[in-house]
Amino acid sequence: MKLYVTVKSLGKRRPVLERRELLLADRPQTLRELISEIVAGQVQAMLERQERGDLIPYLTANEIAEQGDNGKVGFGTVYGETKPELEQATAAALLAFEDGLYKVFVQEEECSALDEPLRLEEGDELTLIRFTMLAGRLW
C-alpha cells in the first residue's frame, strides 16, 4: 500500500519532512498498526545505515540542495553502535502518541484513538504534526 507522508512541527512554517512516499506491506486496520509499521520501517532503515558504512562518503549537488531545504545537510552517518530494538521503539512511539507529543491526520481528518478502525485508501495523504516542548524561565 502506498501513502504520502508529510511531517510538520508546530511553530514552523515549512514542513520538517516534505511529502514523501511511504510503502506499507499490508493495509493497517488501526492507528496502532499504522504507527507500528512506520516504526518498523524506520528501524530497518536505521539498521541498514549502520551496516552500510561508506568508506568515502560524498553528497551530490541535488542531495545537498534537498537536505538544505529540510534544514540540515549531513552524510547520514550513524555514529552510535547500539542497535535499535523494534519493540522498544514501537512502545516509545505509541506512548508519545498517547501523551500528545504528536497528532496523526489522514486526508485532513484527525485520528484520535489508537484502536479505532482506520480507513486508508491507496494514495492517501498522511500528516504527522509533532509538538515541541517549550522550556524557559517565567521572567
Side-chain angles (χ1 to χ4, degrees):
M1 165 173 241
K2 185 191 308 184
L3 299 174
Y4 296 97
V5 178
T6 303
V7 177
K8 297 181 179 182
S9 182
L10 204 60
K12 294 193 179 203
R13 294 176 192 256
R14 302 176 71 206
V16 174
L17 180 67
E18 296 290 331
R19 186 174 185 229
R20 299 252 172 112
E21 193 174 281
L22 173 69
L23 296 173
L24 302 176
D26 295 323
R27 182 182 304 257
Q29 300 302 313
T30 63
L31 182 58
R32 182 182 306 274
E33 290 177 13
L34 176 65
I35 292 171
S36 298
E37 280 205 47
I38 291 172
V39 169
Q42 293 300 307
V43 167
Q44 183 61 36
M46 173 83 161
L47 289 171
E48 289 171 4
R49 281 194 309 271
Q50 282 180 330
E51 292 171 0
R52 186 177 58 214
D54 296 332
L55 292 176
I56 303 173
Y58 66 92
L59 296 172
T60 65
N62 288 340
E63 289 172 332
I64 292 171
E66 182 180 318
Q67 290 183 24
D69 288 342
N70 288 334
K72 179 184 176 193
V73 178
F75 293 108
T77 305
V78 179
Y79 295 104
E81 294 180 15
T82 307
K83 304 278 186 209
E85 293 188 27
L86 180 59
E87 294 80 22
Q88 288 179 343
T90 303
L94 293 172
L95 180 62
F97 178 81
E98 290 172 344
D99 288 347
L101 297 180
Y102 67 95
K103 297 284 184 189
V104 179
F105 293 84
V106 176
Q107 296 295 95
E108 298 182 9
E109 188 174 319
E110 182 180 356
C111 300
S112 55
L114 285 172
D115 295 315
E116 222 173 73
L118 190 62
R119 292 182 207 99
L120 286 176
E121 299 297 326
E122 188 78 21
D124 274 356
E125 186 78 28
L126 180 68
T127 304
L128 304 172
I129 300 178
R130 61 182 197 186
F131 298 102
T132 305
M133 296 296 149
L134 300 176
R137 297 174 29 165
L138 186 57
W139 8 83

